[in-house]
Amino acid sequence: MAATETGPGPSGARPRPWRLLLDTPFSAGYALLLVATSLFAEHADPTLVSQLLQGSSTDVVHLTQAPLLVLIASALWVAGGLTSGYALGFLVVLPTLERRIGGLRTAAVFFGGHALATLATEVPVAFTVAAGGLPESSLHRLDYGISFGVMTCTGALAGVLPAWLRWPLLGGVGWFAGTALLAYADPMTDWGHLLSLTLGVASWPLLRHWRAVRTGPTPLLGDLGHPALRGAGTA
């Protein structure tokens, strides 16, 4: 009796986990890193975790001392843990965006939004404290997480989706961010979420250019290089 092959079928399809890693390496690798840091935060010594989070905080003091370090370190943690809405949003939004514009560009959108929204919310705090409008303790405010980057990528993703998905996505996420701001539980962070979403929308022209470069120009009907017309050109 002939041996039966157990490898991939004729289509050469890979197992799904490997396809995810190969198709969206930035999103998959980043997600694994966030899972590791979240499990560490949940099970490690609370004093050590608190010290690491404090050291990763993008508050005014840390931003003036080591801005690049804390901007990167703050994005290694998920505020609220793996079951938070932003963690779930990360798993949906970033791979979807990465499939459309590529991993490096998705990383640029994520970290660009994370950095700009962080600076836009913390710099006014510094000026307000200097003017006497806020106590000096505001300079040490604990601030970390992936929410600004996720919101920026959400706004960006809407620009490369068809209209019937684009506007419900923006409307739903905008309503969520707006109601959180009206609740006034954490106004600085909530303003940052709205700003991040706006930054993602502002990136639409650039993202559409990137996507056009990635997919290449649409062949003209008279292009003899088009597979459907290649035979006609040699007749």
Side-chain angles (χ1 to χ4, degrees):
M1 182 181 292
T4 303
E5 283 190 288
T6 59
S11 62
R14 301 181 183 90
R16 286 186 179 181
W18 293 112
R19 283 203 64 122
L20 179 64
L21 287 172
L22 292 174
D23 292 346
T24 58
F26 168 69
S27 302
Y30 196 179
L32 291 175
L33 179 60
L34 292 174
V35 168
T37 58
S38 297
L39 291 176
F40 176 84
E42 183 176 351
H43 298 291
D45 177 66
T47 301
L48 175 60
V49 171
S50 177
Q51 291 173 347
L52 290 173
L53 293 179
Q54 290 286 349
S56 302
S57 174
T58 50
D59 54 54
V60 174
V61 172
H62 283 112
L63 284 172
T64 56
Q65 294 174 346
L68 184 59
L69 176 62
V70 294
L71 283 170
I72 294 173
S74 65
L76 300 179
W77 308 93
V78 182
L82 294 175
T83 58
S84 70
Y86 289 105
L88 299 176
F90 179 103
L91 294 177
V92 174
V93 170
L94 265 74
T96 307
L97 182 62
E98 185 172 355
R99 288 190 185 99
R100 285 160 173 78
I101 66 171
L104 289 177
R105 290 161 180 160
T106 300
V109 172
F110 182 94
F111 287 108
H114 171 72
L116 289 174
T118 296
L119 293 173
T121 51
E122 293 291 347
V123 169
V125 171
F127 282 110
T128 306
V129 170
L134 285 173
E136 288 195 9
S137 60
S138 299
L139 300 176
H140 302 273
R141 178 180 178 273
L142 186 62
D143 189 13
Y144 66 92
I146 59 172
S147 60
F148 288 173
V150 171
M151 288 293 277
T152 304
C153 287
T154 302
L157 175 62
V160 294
L161 291 177
W164 65 273
L165 284 174
R166 176 183 310 142
W167 303 116
L169 175 63
L170 281 180
V173 175
W175 177 85
F176 169 78
T179 53
L181 180 61
L182 291 175
Y184 215 71
D186 189 359
M188 192 181 79
T189 299
D190 294 331
W191 273 118
H193 291 153
L194 281 174
L195 174 60
S196 302
L197 185 65
T198 304
L199 289 171
V201 172
S203 72
W204 286 1
L206 180 60
L207 264 65
R208 286 168 180 167
H209 171 71
W210 283 347
R211 193 179 184 194
V213 171
R214 179 179 170 84
T215 58
T218 303
L220 300 174
L221 291 177
D223 184 0
L224 294 180
H226 194 283
L229 300 176
R230 194 170 293 148
T234 57

